[in-house]
Amino acid sequence: CLQNMPDWSCGLADIINEFHATSPIPPYDSKVHRGIWRTFTIRCSLRTKECMVIVLHAPASGGVGAKEDGSDDYSNVFDREKKRLINMLTEGLIPMPKRIFPENHMYDEAKEEKNAANDVGIRVTSIFFQEYEGLSHPSPEHPVQHAFGKKSLEEKLGQCTFQISPGAFFQT
């Protein structure tokens, strides 16, 4: 994982990489428009310790680039794989992998230990799936399917609490 990425995002990346490595369903290849798993959007609030995952995928039947012989139709295993992914993402706190940084990296070990002691951990609190057959990326209004947990992510800024939906633009 890159040095500028937070530990929680590296932990999620590890889970998603493990899922991809063990899934019979291939990731999407934008050059030939085949495969299913396209992108994973992750929204996280460090203040509320909530994390939302939005999985963009092509239709299980193959979508735009489907082979005529149907050999890339994953309809028979798609629901099982969605459930397995949900279980992998929600079985506990997001793991925080131990990372080794180069010697010249500005790393404050005392600060990290203090942060770790005060940190109660982050959980995936909501998961959405978004099917898209198009060639690029869906619009923010494109429908999502709620699959697990809360329907929005809470973020606190000062005394205000915002409820962030999967398609919302929210940047702090």
Side-chain angles (χ1 to χ4, degrees):
C1 210
L2 299 173
Q3 294 176 19
N4 64 330
M5 300 298 293
D7 290 344
W8 60 265
S9 68
C10 293
L12 277 175
D14 289 346
I15 293 170
I16 293 166
N17 286 336
E18 180 184 343
F19 172 77
H20 278 305
T22 57
S23 178
I25 301 174
Y28 185 78
D29 182 338
S30 61
K31 292 180 182 170
V32 294
H33 307 292
R34 290 196 180 117
I36 305 300
W37 308 117
R38 292 181 71 150
T39 60
F40 288 72
T41 301
I42 299 167
R43 296 170 177 256
C44 184
S45 170
L46 298 179
R47 292 175 189 93
T48 63
K49 308 296 185 199
E50 294 182 6
C51 180
M52 175 188 288
V53 177
I54 305 137
V55 181
L56 178 63
H57 62 87
S61 60
V64 174
K67 295 179 181 176
E68 288 185 25
D69 65 2
S71 61
D72 58 351
D73 184 342
Y74 298 97
S75 301
N76 60 335
V77 295
F78 186 69
D79 285 337
R80 183 188 75 216
E81 286 299 287
K82 280 174 47 175
K83 288 176 187 168
R84 191 170 74 87
L85 176 59
I86 291 168
N87 288 337
M88 289 177 76
L89 290 169
T90 61
E91 68 184 356
L93 296 175
I94 296 171
M96 302 292 185
K98 181 72 175 153
R99 297 166 61 185
I100 300 170
F101 295 103
E103 203 171 299
N104 63 348
H105 183 266
M106 298 191 67
Y107 178 74
D108 186 343
E109 190 172 339
K111 181 180 177 186
E112 286 301 314
E113 287 177 8
K114 180 182 175 196
N115 287 344
N118 293 331
D119 194 8
V120 295
I122 300 169
R123 290 186 180 278
V124 173
T125 55
S126 58
I127 300 174
F128 294 84
F129 287 87
Q130 186 175 40
E131 183 177 295
Y132 185 65
E133 192 169 0
L135 300 179
S136 60
H137 202 74
S139 69
E141 300 84 28
H142 194 77
V144 294
Q145 174 198 14
H146 178 249
F148 172 84
K150 299 172 69 173
K151 292 190 177 184
S152 63
L153 174 97
E154 283 192 2
E155 177 60 280
K156 293 184 179 181
L157 281 164
Q159 295 183 356
C160 297
T161 301
F162 297 88
Q163 292 185 339
I164 314 301
S165 64
F169 177 81
F170 187 82
Q171 184 174 335
T172 58

